[in-house]
Amino acid sequence: MVVIEELEGLSSMIKMPKNGNIPIMDLRYHKIDEKKSNNIIIVDTGRYSINTNDLWIYFSRSPHKIVKFLVNKVATEKHGFWKSGKIVQPARSNIFDEIDMNLLVWKSLSGLKKNIDDTEFDYIAIGNGSCDVGEFLCKTYGRDKILFTEYGWLPWSETCYISRFGCGMQSYLAHLNEETLKRIEYKLEDIQALRDRVTQYHFKKNKNRIIYKDFVYIPLQSDSVQSNMKKDFKMRFSDFDSNMAFLRKVVPLIPAKYKILVKGHPFAQSNVSFEKIRLWDRRHNQHVDPARIIDITRDKWNNVDIYQKMKAMIAINSTSVIEAILYKKKVFTYGDDVFSNKGLTYNRINDKEEFEKLLEGKQDTYVFNRFIWVLMLSLIHI
C-alpha cells in the first residue's frame, strides 16, 4: 500500500453497485472528510452535464447528503438529460440513474447564486470547472469549497475521479512529483490485473490488429477551432490552439523511416488537412514518403495492439498517454496533465537531434507502476 504521508487518504478503487450504499469516499488527503457526512450541492454548469451525472451516481450512494441539485436551463432544453432521468452519451451510454429528488433549473448566474446562498452546504460539486460558470463559482465561494470531477482513466469510459481545487493540471494528482512517486510501494499483481482488464476492454471494442509496422502514433486532442471556444480545456495546458499547429511542430521531428499514424479525437471532428501536413513534412524532410502520414481516425484498430507495436506516442495531453504509461511505452508530450513533472514522458522536445536520440534510446520506467498505482487509488468505477 501507499506508505508515505502525503498520499494517505487517497480513495481506494470503488466498484459502484447499482443499488445500495457504498463506503464514504476517503478524501482525507483533500481535507473534506472532517465530518462523517457533508452537505453537497450538485450544480450542472451546462457544459459538463455528463460529469454531473457521475456526481449524482456517487454522492447518492454515499453517506454525504445532496441538499440541492441545480440544473442548467440550456442543458435541460438541449439534451433532455434530466427530464428523463437518463444520460445518453457515448462514454456513458449504458449508465443512467433515475433522479429521485427535486431538480431546480437555474437560468442566470444571479439565479444560481441565489439558489446556493439560501442553502446550508459544505461543498459545491461540479464538472471539471473549465467554463465560465465554474470560474464564477470558484470566484464567488472560493476554490476550496468546490469539488470537481471528470472522466478517469483505464478505461476512461468506466471511471471518474473527484478532486479538490480542479482537474487535470489543477488537481492534487498533478502536484505529485517524481521524487514522491519513487517512495511509493505498490502491488504488482493489482497493476497486472488492471492491465489485463484494460486489454480485455479494448479487445472487446475492437478485435482488429494494426497492420502497420515501424510507426509513431499521434492521438489528437479536441480541436479548439471546432469547440467554439478560444481554447478547449486540454488545449489550455499546451502551447497550441489547434491540432494543425501541433502537427506542424512534431511531424518534422520524426525520422523519415517511421510511418505516422494520426487518430482524431473520438468526440470532436478534427480540423486537420492531411494534405497540408504531408506537404509540410516534405518541406522539412526532402526524401520522405508523403504517404507515411496515415489518418486512422475511422479505422477500427485495437488500441492495445497499437500501443504494443508503436515505436512511441506523441500527444498533447490525451487520455491515451495514461494507457501508454500503463503498458510502459515511450511517450513524447507537448502539453501538461496529471502525468507531467514525474519522469513519465519526454515533454516538449523540440530539437530534432535530441528527439531522435530519445526515440531510439532506452527509457527508465521505474516510476511507471507507481504512478498507475496512485491513479488506481483515485478512481471511482461507475
Side-chain angles (χ1 to χ4, degrees), residues 21-28 32-40 58-59 61-65 122-123:
N21 292 328
I22 60 171
I24 191 168
M25 186 178 181
D26 192 347
L27 294 174
R28 285 172 295 177
I32 77 161
D33 196 13
E34 296 167 354
K35 295 189 294 184
K36 184 176 180 180
S37 177
N38 292 284
N39 288 341
I40 305 294
Y58 175 74
F59 283 115
R61 289 170 166 81
S62 78
H64 298 298
K65 182 180 180 181
D122 295 294
Y123 297 97

Side-chain angles (χ1 to χ4, degrees), residues 176-183 341-344 364 367:
L176 302 176
N177 58 31
E178 184 174 0
E179 291 305 312
T180 301
L181 288 179
K182 286 180 178 179
R183 305 202 308 272
N341 307 315
K342 298 173 177 60
L344 297 162
D364 182 359
V367 296

Side-chain angles (χ1 to χ4, degrees), residues 333-346:
T333 52
Y334 290 82
D336 300 315
D337 211 325
V338 294
F339 49 74
S340 299
N341 307 315
K342 298 173 177 60
L344 297 162
T345 72
Y346 297 122

Side-chain angles (χ1 to χ4, degrees), residues 42-46 49 52 68-76 81-83 99 102-107 112:
I42 296 179
V43 176
D44 165 25
T45 59
S49 294
T52 314
K68 188 168 283 188
F69 198 137
L70 302 171
V71 296
N72 178 268
K73 178 178 183 292
V74 176
T76 302
F81 281 167
W82 311 115
K83 289 181 179 179
I99 310 299
N102 185 34
L103 302 180
L104 302 176
V105 178
W106 65 272
K107 302 178 181 180
L112 175 61

Side-chain angles (χ1 to χ4, degrees), residues 123-319:
Y123 297 97
I124 301 170
I126 64 174
N128 78 19
S130 295
C131 59
D132 292 341
V133 180
E135 292 173 1
F136 168 79
L137 292 173
C138 289
K139 183 177 180 180
T140 303
Y141 299 101
R143 185 169 286 270
D144 61 329
K145 299 295 288 184
I146 311 296
L147 299 178
F148 304 84
T149 188
E150 68 173 353
Y151 293 146
W153 321 269
L154 308 169
W156 65 273
S157 62
E158 296 181 358
T159 62
C160 69
Y161 72 100
I162 298 173
S163 173
R164 291 288 303 280
F165 309 116
C167 290
M169 274 304 290
Q170 295 173 320
S171 72
Y172 62 92
L173 292 167
H175 294 102
L176 302 176
N177 58 31
E178 184 174 0
E179 291 305 312
T180 301
L181 288 179
K182 286 180 178 179
R183 305 202 308 272
I184 292 176
E185 294 182 0
Y186 64 91
K187 292 183 178 180
L188 182 60
E189 61 272 23
D190 288 353
I191 291 179
Q192 185 57 53
L194 173 63
R195 192 177 291 121
D196 292 342
R197 186 167 67 249
V198 173
T199 299
Q200 293 170 4
Y201 168 83
H202 282 297
F203 271 99
K204 185 177 180 180
K205 289 180 63 177
N206 294 310
K207 294 182 173 61
N208 299 326
R209 294 184 179 273
I210 192 77
I211 62 174
Y212 302 105
K213 298 179 180 180
D214 300 321
F215 65 87
V216 170
Y217 175 49
I218 304 180
L220 298 178
Q221 195 44 267
S222 176
D223 197 296
S224 60
V225 176
Q226 295 292 328
S227 67
N228 296 321
M229 296 181 64
K230 292 181 179 179
K231 276 198 175 185
D232 188 71
F233 169 54
K234 293 294 185 180
M235 286 284 185
R236 295 185 187 187
F237 298 102
S238 79
D239 301 327
F240 310 102
D241 59 7
S242 71
N243 285 313
M244 281 292 286
F246 167 57
L247 290 171
R248 283 177 178 268
K249 169 65 73 174
V250 301
V251 164
L253 299 173
I254 303 169
K257 65 181 180 179
Y258 292 110
K259 294 181 177 64
I260 303 172
L261 307 189
V262 182
K263 186 175 182 179
H265 192 278
F267 302 140
Q269 182 179 356
S270 179
N271 187 41
V272 169
S273 168
F274 281 88
E275 189 59 36
K276 289 183 179 180
I277 293 299
R278 292 185 183 104
L279 290 172
W280 185 259
D281 191 21
R282 284 291 298 273
R283 182 182 301 176
H284 289 81
N285 298 291
Q286 293 182 359
H287 303 293
V288 76
D289 179 3
R292 76 172 182 145
I293 301 178
I294 304 167
D295 179 9
I296 64 167
T297 303
R298 293 175 176 80
D299 296 334
K300 301 296 183 180
W301 305 122
N302 176 266
N303 279 8
V304 174
D305 201 45
I306 293 176
Y307 301 150
Q308 291 174 338
K309 294 178 179 176
M310 68 187 182
K311 182 66 177 178
M313 176 186 292
I314 304 176
I316 295 177
N317 43 18
S318 171
T319 303

